[in-house]
Amino acid sequence: MRIVVCESPDQVAMVAADESIEYLGLACSSSSQSQETSVLGLATGSTPLGLYQQWIKRHRAGEISFRNIVSFNLDEYCGVPPEDPQSYHYFMQENLFKHIDILPLNTHIPKTDCQDLPASAEAYEIAIAQAGGIDLQILGIGTEGHIGFNELGSSLSSATRVKTLTSKTRQDNARFFASMDQVPKMAITMGLGTIMNARAILLLATGVHKADTIRDTVEGPVTAMVPASILQFHPNATVVIDQAAASKLAHLDYYLECERNQQSL
Ligand code: F6R
């Protein structure tokens, strides 16, 4: 795992924007701008908002384009229709899609407004494979180490499926709802196996409330009790965090030295 420690959440967003733009060849002026489609995995929640604002700003400045991007979001709540302001469909529309030039037909979010949720999850997994798999997956992380909604105990090789949210996740996400009763109990989420199949991963975390889970993810044993720890097995996973989220890492000095040495190559 590559660990990049930034001075502030703003710098996390900037580094994540630079890394993703380069990896996906989004820059309009770049000779590396791909005419081929790239597949981008997206997350919701508070953490990626700074990155999305960076993308929007650079798109408005004419620097980057999402014309050749196909996107797949990690997850969607069950029981929240797409037009509901609490849905992840609505979140993505408001916070990213309507501000950039991605083609609406190229955006995908798990469908939960249907009768057969397991079939919908299965169809989503197939759609990702048919698109050629995910090139770059953006991730946030829950305070108990979930990625997507792969809660503790998730199979380390799971596919997209319906998952029950833990009470901690429901409490953490209650800030977006009028009352705890309204926080959904289930979601369709990409699995840990789905995420691990991505060719590259960018996990973002900010704030001292993420420090324990970042330590467990990066330095703890690989265990389904900290689902994000599976990323230790990924050959191309980068963790971009601010100093607060990095504050409990035992080997912080070493990670900083690795970055300095990489930049001198
Ligand atoms: C969101 C998602 C979740 C969040 C995580 C962190 O699509 O899959 O795993 O990334 O719950 O949420 P925030 O960023 O709000 O702390």
Side-chain angles (χ1 to χ4, degrees):
M1 274 170 143
R2 178 181 165 209
I3 315 296
V4 183
V5 181
C6 301
E7 271 170 20
S8 63
D10 283 350
Q11 206 196 339
V12 168
M14 232 109 73
V15 168
D18 290 344
E19 293 280 327
S20 54
I21 287 167
E22 176 162 358
Y23 188 82
L24 296 164
L26 298 176
C28 295
S29 56
S30 151
S31 55
S32 68
Q33 192 196 6
S34 169
Q35 291 311 307
E36 284 176 28
T37 299
S38 292
V39 182
L40 173 59
L42 293 168
T44 58
S46 309
T47 311
L49 285 174
L51 166 63
Y52 296 168
Q53 280 156 20
Q54 280 294 319
W55 281 345
I56 292 165
K57 192 168 128 200
R58 297 185 201 194
H59 169 65
R60 285 191 177 141
E63 293 168 17
I64 61 172
S65 170
F66 294 82
R67 222 54 206 165
N68 296 322
I69 291 293
V70 172
S71 73
F72 285 88
N73 263 75
L74 282 165
D75 39 28
E76 178 58 287
Y77 290 124
C78 298
V80 183
E83 62 282 2
D84 187 312
Q86 312 303 340
S87 75
Y88 286 169
H89 279 77
Y90 192 93
F91 176 101
M92 289 310 299
Q93 201 52 40
E94 289 302 306
N95 291 297
L96 184 62
F97 296 154
K98 78 176 189 190
H99 306 288
I100 58 174
D101 62 346
I102 195 164
L103 301 174
L105 266 177
N106 283 349
T107 66
H108 304 84
I109 301 177
K111 258 180 79 63
T112 56
D113 57 337
C114 56
Q115 288 294 316
D116 192 342
L117 292 168
S120 171
E122 212 173 301
Y124 199 71
E125 186 77 22
I126 291 168
I128 294 171
Q130 283 173 343
I134 292 169
D135 291 304
L136 175 67
Q137 177 66 54
I138 307 294
L139 295 175
I141 184 168
T143 50
E144 287 185 316
H146 74 209
I147 46 178
F149 278 131
N150 292 285
E151 303 287 39
L152 45 89
S154 286
S155 158
L156 296 178
S157 59
S158 46
T160 304
R161 68 209 183 291
V162 183
K163 194 75 194 155
T164 296
L165 308 183
T166 62
S167 52
K168 181 71 170 71
T169 294
R170 293 186 65 238
Q171 277 161 25
D172 286 349
N173 290 2
R175 66 191 193 278
F176 299 112
F177 293 83
S179 72
M180 190 64 193
D181 290 347
Q182 290 179 22
V183 185
K185 297 199 163 99
M186 292 197 294
I188 289 184
T189 180
M190 281 186 202
L192 292 174
T194 323
I195 293 169
M196 287 295 286
N197 282 336
R199 290 172 194 97
I201 288 184
L202 212 45
L203 183 146
L204 314 180
T206 58
V208 72
H209 63 300
K210 298 286 174 76
D212 284 331
T213 196
I214 285 296
R215 178 201 54 213
D216 295 347
T217 296
V218 173
E219 296 179 338
V222 174
T223 166
M225 290 299 115
V226 183
S229 64
I230 186 69
L231 297 176
Q232 291 178 32
F233 279 124
H234 198 283
N236 191 5
T238 302
V239 175
V240 187
I241 50 183
D242 68 352
Q243 284 170 343
S247 59
K248 295 205 173 157
L249 289 171
H251 302 285
L252 178 59
D253 288 346
Y254 175 67
Y255 309 136
L256 295 172
E257 188 191 344
C258 288
E259 275 307 294
R260 280 196 299 274
N261 288 344
Q262 275 305 117
Q263 276 160 23
S264 71
L265 289 181

